Amino acid sequence: MRTALLQSSGRPGSVVENLKVLDEAAGRAAAAGAGLVAAPEMFLTGYAIGDDIARLAEPADGDSAAAIAAIATRHGVAVVYGYPEREGETVHNSAQLISADGTRLANYRKTHLFGCFERDHFTPGEQPVVQAELNGLRVGLMICYDVEFPENVRAHALAGTDLLVVPTAQMHPFQFVAEAVVPVRAFENQMYVAYVNRVGPEGEFEFVGLSTLAGPDGIARTRAGRGEELVLADADPDFLAASREANPYLKDRRPGLYGSLV
């Protein structure tokens, strides 16, 4: 499945403008043969927007979800996007997958919050593995800091995730995560990992870009630079099956030795 990564910070604070950016990117992705376009963490509203996070937060089935479903349907491409999700008085840092026919397939709430900023504005999720079937692949969702915990990604591997989509807001000076950690996660867990980042200055943060789709061989199929960019690469189920057959990591595990981890 050709996968498009929309590396952009959009227009922080403007849902309307961010929907326009996503619509245009979805059109370009579809024209290039993509079956999925992924946008970064908190793309719908912006990340460093302070108390506007709570003001702009929406339910998973809110107006913006309906607008993105219309975008997906219009262009015939599935969409993953990050947004602040409201559930009553609670706000989660969430990512949602909507199919090319506009169906809401999966919604994930970030389980590991990074730093005081996120802990001040969000409640962590409690479900580590969220998946859906899409175009012959089992797609899993995760957000930014979550992928830096090996236990998280291994849980997805054991649950059969083929393509792990990770909307992120990776900031300076942690660019080594995109450059080194993500390809290693893909290799050690025998899956594709699509890591799609924000870019440029926003509030107190400097986002580093470097969005990538890494394969189960640990090799980046595509990597963006430090500017706004739409990059594409394929997640190939045949290559994935062959790689899993050749790589014994998951087969050679000895779970009985790992009890001390938890």
Side-chain angles (χ1 to χ4, degrees):
M1 177 174 65
R2 183 152 295 173
T3 301
L5 309 181
L6 172 58
Q7 179 168 287
S8 173
S9 288
R11 308 295 178 264
S14 176
V15 172
V16 170
E17 290 302 315
N18 291 330
L19 289 172
K20 290 179 181 177
V21 173
L22 182 58
D23 189 16
E24 189 272 338
R28 284 193 286 145
L36 172 67
V37 58
E41 181 176 4
M42 292 286 287
F43 182 78
L44 181 66
T45 60
Y47 181 91
I49 59 173
D51 291 340
D52 279 349
I53 290 173
R55 181 178 67 83
L56 295 174
E58 297 185 24
D61 60 353
D63 291 344
S64 293
I68 292 171
I71 289 171
T73 302
R74 179 162 56 253
H75 298 293
V77 62
V79 177
V80 170
Y81 67 100
Y83 74 108
E85 178 193 354
R86 176 168 294 284
E87 184 185 44
E89 296 302 310
T90 300
V91 177
H92 299 281
N93 183 338
S94 295
Q96 185 151 225
L97 168 62
I98 295 179
S99 73
D101 67 5
T103 302
R104 293 173 49 246
L105 294 180
N107 188 70
Y108 171 77
R109 296 166 175 174
K110 189 174 186 178
T111 54
H112 295 74
L113 301 181
F114 180 78
C116 295
F117 178 83
E118 290 193 3
R119 289 191 287 270
D120 286 346
H121 290 285
F122 301 109
T123 297
E126 297 296 333
Q127 186 174 353
V129 176
V130 172
Q131 302 167 310
E133 300 295 324
L134 181 70
N135 297 346
L137 293 172
R138 184 170 295 181
V139 175
L141 299 178
M142 197 172 280
I143 298 174
C144 198
Y145 194 39
D146 291 328
V147 82
E148 298 176 40
F149 292 81
E151 302 89 343
N152 261 14
V153 188
R154 181 52 54 85
H156 269 274
L158 296 176
T161 293
D162 300 316
L163 170 62
L164 183 62
V165 182
V166 189
T168 190
Q170 185 63 66
M171 57 197 69
H172 178 81
F174 305 112
Q175 49 265 33
F176 66 89
V177 174
E179 294 170 337
V181 174
V182 168
V184 169
R185 289 285 178 270
F187 178 70
E188 68 190 3
N189 291 289
Q190 287 300 290
M191 61 175 63
Y192 288 92
V193 180
Y195 187 79
V196 54
N197 199 10
R198 305 180 69 82
V199 65
E202 187 180 333
E204 63 187 281
F205 307 111
E206 175 76 27
F207 298 114
V208 300
L210 302 175
S211 298
T212 188
L213 192 150
D217 52 2
I219 296 173
R221 299 301 192 270
T222 188
R223 187 181 296 283
R226 298 297 187 97
E228 299 222 347
E229 196 171 350
L230 184 73
V231 296
L232 297 97
D234 293 333
D236 181 351
D238 293 333
F239 182 87
L240 180 59
S243 181
R244 286 172 170 171
E245 183 63 29
N247 187 304
Y249 276 149
L250 299 180
K251 298 174 187 174
D252 288 350
R253 293 172 64 253
R254 297 180 62 192
L257 300 180
Y258 311 148
S260 61
L261 293 177
V262 293

